[in-house]
Each structure stands twice: as C-alpha cells, then as structure tokens.
Amino acid sequence: MPGMEPINALHVSEPGLLVVEVAAADDETALAFQDAVAARWATATADRTTHEPGQPGVRLRFYLDLRQEIGTEQPGAGPPGSQLG
C-alpha cells in the first residue's frame, strides 16, 4: 500500500483541529491508541492501518477535534468533510 496522502489544509484550518499520525509495531496497538483518544474527544477514526514494504511497523492517521470533548454538544464541530459535525 502506498504512503499516506498529504495533509489537506482544511484538516488543520482552525485552532483545535489535529491530524494525528501514529507509528506502531502492529495494528492492535495503533487501533487501541486511536480508540483511547476517541473515547475522550470527537474523532474521525480510521478503519485500518497502512504498511510500507521495507519499513517497520504500521501507520495510522486520524482526525481529532480538541474543541469538542465527548459528551458535549457543539454542532458543526470537526474537520471539514468529517463525520463529526
């Protein structure tokens, strides 16, 4: 699978929006980290990791909105094009 796509300016267009890229030894570890973050903040999660041949481990990218903690209601929060808003 080819490398990750470039970060789009819309993903970080406002303070509090983050693109999180994780490098981990395996799928289980990367997805567990994503789940832990998603339990606290509004997160557009990834379904799978990527692996580049010849490189160790796996990578995962997801989008996070620090402005909206889980349990709060802020309509429209989240990166443009995400399922958060």
PDB file of all heavy atoms in Angstrom, residues 3-18:
ATOM      1  N   GLY A   3       2.281   5.200   0.483  1.00  0.00           N
ATOM      2  CA  GLY A   3       2.309   6.064   1.657  1.00  0.00           C
ATOM      3  C   GLY A   3       1.026   6.844   1.846  1.00  0.00           C
ATOM      4  O   GLY A   3       0.148   6.856   0.986  1.00  0.00           O
ATOM      5  N   MET A   4       0.933   7.510   2.982  1.00  0.00           N
ATOM      6  CA  MET A   4      -0.265   8.279   3.301  1.00  0.00           C
ATOM      7  C   MET A   4      -0.376   9.505   2.410  1.00  0.00           C
ATOM      8  O   MET A   4       0.624  10.064   1.975  1.00  0.00           O
ATOM      9  CB  MET A   4      -0.226   8.710   4.761  1.00  0.00           C
ATOM     10  CG  MET A   4      -0.340   7.569   5.704  1.00  0.00           C
ATOM     11  SD  MET A   4      -0.522   8.179   7.383  1.00  0.00           S
ATOM     12  CE  MET A   4      -0.882   6.676   8.213  1.00  0.00           C
ATOM     13  N   GLU A   5      -1.599   9.918   2.170  1.00  0.00           N
ATOM     14  CA  GLU A   5      -1.867  11.123   1.393  1.00  0.00           C
ATOM     15  C   GLU A   5      -1.366  12.347   2.149  1.00  0.00           C
ATOM     16  O   GLU A   5      -1.294  12.336   3.380  1.00  0.00           O
ATOM     17  CB  GLU A   5      -3.371  11.261   1.148  1.00  0.00           C
ATOM     18  CG  GLU A   5      -3.959  10.145   0.301  1.00  0.00           C
ATOM     19  CD  GLU A   5      -3.484  10.193  -1.127  1.00  0.00           C
ATOM     20  OE1 GLU A   5      -3.357  11.295  -1.693  1.00  0.00           O
ATOM     21  OE2 GLU A   5      -3.215   9.107  -1.680  1.00  0.00           O
ATOM     22  N   PRO A   6      -1.050  13.432   1.446  1.00  0.00           N
ATOM     23  CA  PRO A   6      -0.645  14.666   2.124  1.00  0.00           C
ATOM     24  C   PRO A   6      -1.772  15.195   3.007  1.00  0.00           C
ATOM     25  O   PRO A   6      -2.948  14.940   2.747  1.00  0.00           O
ATOM     26  CB  PRO A   6      -0.369  15.638   0.975  1.00  0.00           C
ATOM     27  CG  PRO A   6      -0.214  14.799  -0.240  1.00  0.00           C
ATOM     28  CD  PRO A   6      -1.009  13.548  -0.002  1.00  0.00           C
ATOM     29  N   ILE A   7      -1.406  15.934   4.033  1.00  0.00           N
ATOM     30  CA  ILE A   7      -2.396  16.553   4.912  1.00  0.00           C
ATOM     31  C   ILE A   7      -3.040  17.711   4.164  1.00  0.00           C
ATOM     32  O   ILE A   7      -2.356  18.559   3.609  1.00  0.00           O
ATOM     33  CB  ILE A   7      -1.739  17.029   6.215  1.00  0.00           C
ATOM     34  CG1 ILE A   7      -1.225  15.820   7.003  1.00  0.00           C
ATOM     35  CG2 ILE A   7      -2.709  17.850   7.049  1.00  0.00           C
ATOM     36  CD1 ILE A   7      -0.371  16.174   8.190  1.00  0.00           C
ATOM     37  N   ASN A   8      -4.354  17.751   4.158  1.00  0.00           N
ATOM     38  CA  ASN A   8      -5.118  18.800   3.495  1.00  0.00           C
ATOM     39  C   ASN A   8      -5.231  19.996   4.429  1.00  0.00           C
ATOM     40  O   ASN A   8      -5.477  19.835   5.628  1.00  0.00           O
ATOM     41  CB  ASN A   8      -6.508  18.250   3.160  1.00  0.00           C
ATOM     42  CG  ASN A   8      -7.350  19.194   2.358  1.00  0.00           C
ATOM     43  OD1 ASN A   8      -7.456  20.376   2.670  1.00  0.00           O
ATOM     44  ND2 ASN A   8      -7.965  18.666   1.324  1.00  0.00           N
ATOM     45  N   ALA A   9      -5.063  21.212   3.900  1.00  0.00           N
ATOM     46  CA  ALA A   9      -5.126  22.430   4.715  1.00  0.00           C
ATOM     47  C   ALA A   9      -6.443  22.540   5.476  1.00  0.00           C
ATOM     48  O   ALA A   9      -6.486  23.091   6.576  1.00  0.00           O
ATOM     49  CB  ALA A   9      -4.921  23.659   3.839  1.00  0.00           C
ATOM     50  N   LEU A  10      -7.530  21.999   4.940  1.00  0.00           N
ATOM     51  CA  LEU A  10      -8.818  22.051   5.638  1.00  0.00           C
ATOM     52  C   LEU A  10      -8.796  21.266   6.946  1.00  0.00           C
ATOM     53  O   LEU A  10      -9.519  21.590   7.880  1.00  0.00           O
ATOM     54  CB  LEU A  10      -9.935  21.516   4.742  1.00  0.00           C
ATOM     55  CG  LEU A  10     -10.321  22.379   3.559  1.00  0.00           C
ATOM     56  CD1 LEU A  10     -11.342  21.657   2.684  1.00  0.00           C
ATOM     57  CD2 LEU A  10     -10.853  23.723   4.015  1.00  0.00           C
ATOM     58  N   HIS A  11      -7.965  20.234   7.016  1.00  0.00           N
ATOM     59  CA  HIS A  11      -7.908  19.414   8.224  1.00  0.00           C
ATOM     60  C   HIS A  11      -7.349  20.172   9.426  1.00  0.00           C
ATOM     61  O   HIS A  11      -7.577  19.777  10.564  1.00  0.00           O
ATOM     62  CB  HIS A  11      -7.070  18.155   7.985  1.00  0.00           C
ATOM     63  CG  HIS A  11      -7.675  17.238   6.982  1.00  0.00           C
ATOM     64  ND1 HIS A  11      -6.918  16.553   6.067  1.00  0.00           N
ATOM     65  CD2 HIS A  11      -8.962  16.896   6.731  1.00  0.00           C
ATOM     66  CE1 HIS A  11      -7.707  15.824   5.300  1.00  0.00           C
ATOM     67  NE2 HIS A  11      -8.958  16.019   5.689  1.00  0.00           N
ATOM     68  N   VAL A  12      -6.587  21.219   9.174  1.00  0.00           N
ATOM     69  CA  VAL A  12      -5.980  21.998  10.257  1.00  0.00           C
ATOM     70  C   VAL A  12      -6.290  23.489  10.077  1.00  0.00           C
ATOM     71  O   VAL A  12      -5.495  24.340  10.426  1.00  0.00           O
ATOM     72  CB  VAL A  12      -4.459  21.749  10.350  1.00  0.00           C
ATOM     73  CG1 VAL A  12      -4.167  20.332  10.812  1.00  0.00           C
ATOM     74  CG2 VAL A  12      -3.761  22.026   9.028  1.00  0.00           C
ATOM     75  N   SER A  13      -7.472  23.786   9.559  1.00  0.00           N
ATOM     76  CA  SER A  13      -7.836  25.161   9.212  1.00  0.00           C
ATOM     77  C   SER A  13      -8.182  26.037  10.411  1.00  0.00           C
ATOM     78  O   SER A  13      -8.253  27.252  10.280  1.00  0.00           O
ATOM     79  CB  SER A  13      -9.009  25.157   8.231  1.00  0.00           C
ATOM     80  OG  SER A  13     -10.142  24.552   8.846  1.00  0.00           O
ATOM     81  N   GLU A  14      -8.408  25.451  11.571  1.00  0.00           N
ATOM     82  CA  GLU A  14      -8.777  26.213  12.766  1.00  0.00           C
ATOM     83  C   GLU A  14      -8.007  25.685  13.972  1.00  0.00           C
ATOM     84  O   GLU A  14      -7.673  24.502  14.023  1.00  0.00           O
ATOM     85  CB  GLU A  14     -10.271  26.067  13.044  1.00  0.00           C
ATOM     86  CG  GLU A  14     -11.161  26.586  11.940  1.00  0.00           C
ATOM     87  CD  GLU A  14     -12.625  26.322  12.226  1.00  0.00           C
ATOM     88  OE1 GLU A  14     -13.006  26.320  13.410  1.00  0.00           O
ATOM     89  OE2 GLU A  14     -13.380  26.115  11.267  1.00  0.00           O
ATOM     90  N   PRO A  15      -7.771  26.546  14.972  1.00  0.00           N
ATOM     91  CA  PRO A  15      -7.140  26.064  16.200  1.00  0.00           C
ATOM     92  C   PRO A  15      -7.987  24.954  16.835  1.00  0.00           C
ATOM     93  O   PRO A  15      -9.213  25.036  16.847  1.00  0.00           O
ATOM     94  CB  PRO A  15      -7.111  27.297  17.103  1.00  0.00           C
ATOM     95  CG  PRO A  15      -7.153  28.457  16.155  1.00  0.00           C
ATOM     96  CD  PRO A  15      -8.005  27.991  15.001  1.00  0.00           C
ATOM     97  N   GLY A  16      -7.342  23.935  17.308  1.00  0.00           N
ATOM     98  CA  GLY A  16      -8.035  22.827  17.958  1.00  0.00           C
ATOM     99  C   GLY A  16      -8.234  21.618  17.066  1.00  0.00           C
ATOM    100  O   GLY A  16      -8.597  20.552  17.537  1.00  0.00           O
ATOM    101  N   LEU A  17      -8.023  21.762  15.751  1.00  0.00           N
ATOM    102  CA  LEU A  17      -8.140  20.632  14.834  1.00  0.00           C
ATOM    103  C   LEU A  17      -6.758  20.018  14.636  1.00  0.00           C
ATOM    104  O   LEU A  17      -5.780  20.721  14.434  1.00  0.00           O
ATOM    105  CB  LEU A  17      -8.704  21.083  13.486  1.00  0.00           C
ATOM    106  CG  LEU A  17     -10.095  21.690  13.508  1.00  0.00           C
ATOM    107  CD1 LEU A  17     -10.520  22.088  12.094  1.00  0.00           C
ATOM    108  CD2 LEU A  17     -11.110  20.748  14.126  1.00  0.00           C
ATOM    109  N   LEU A  18      -6.700  18.698  14.702  1.00  0.00           N
ATOM    110  CA  LEU A  18      -5.422  17.995  14.592  1.00  0.00           C
ATOM    111  C   LEU A  18      -5.497  16.852  13.599  1.00  0.00           C
ATOM    112  O   LEU A  18      -6.535  16.213  13.461  1.00  0.00           O
ATOM    113  CB  LEU A  18      -5.051  17.374  15.947  1.00  0.00           C
ATOM    114  CG  LEU A  18      -4.800  18.333  17.086  1.00  0.00           C
ATOM    115  CD1 LEU A  18      -5.128  17.686  18.397  1.00  0.00           C
ATOM    116  CD2 LEU A  18      -3.355  18.742  17.058  1.00  0.00           C
TER     117      LEU A  18
END
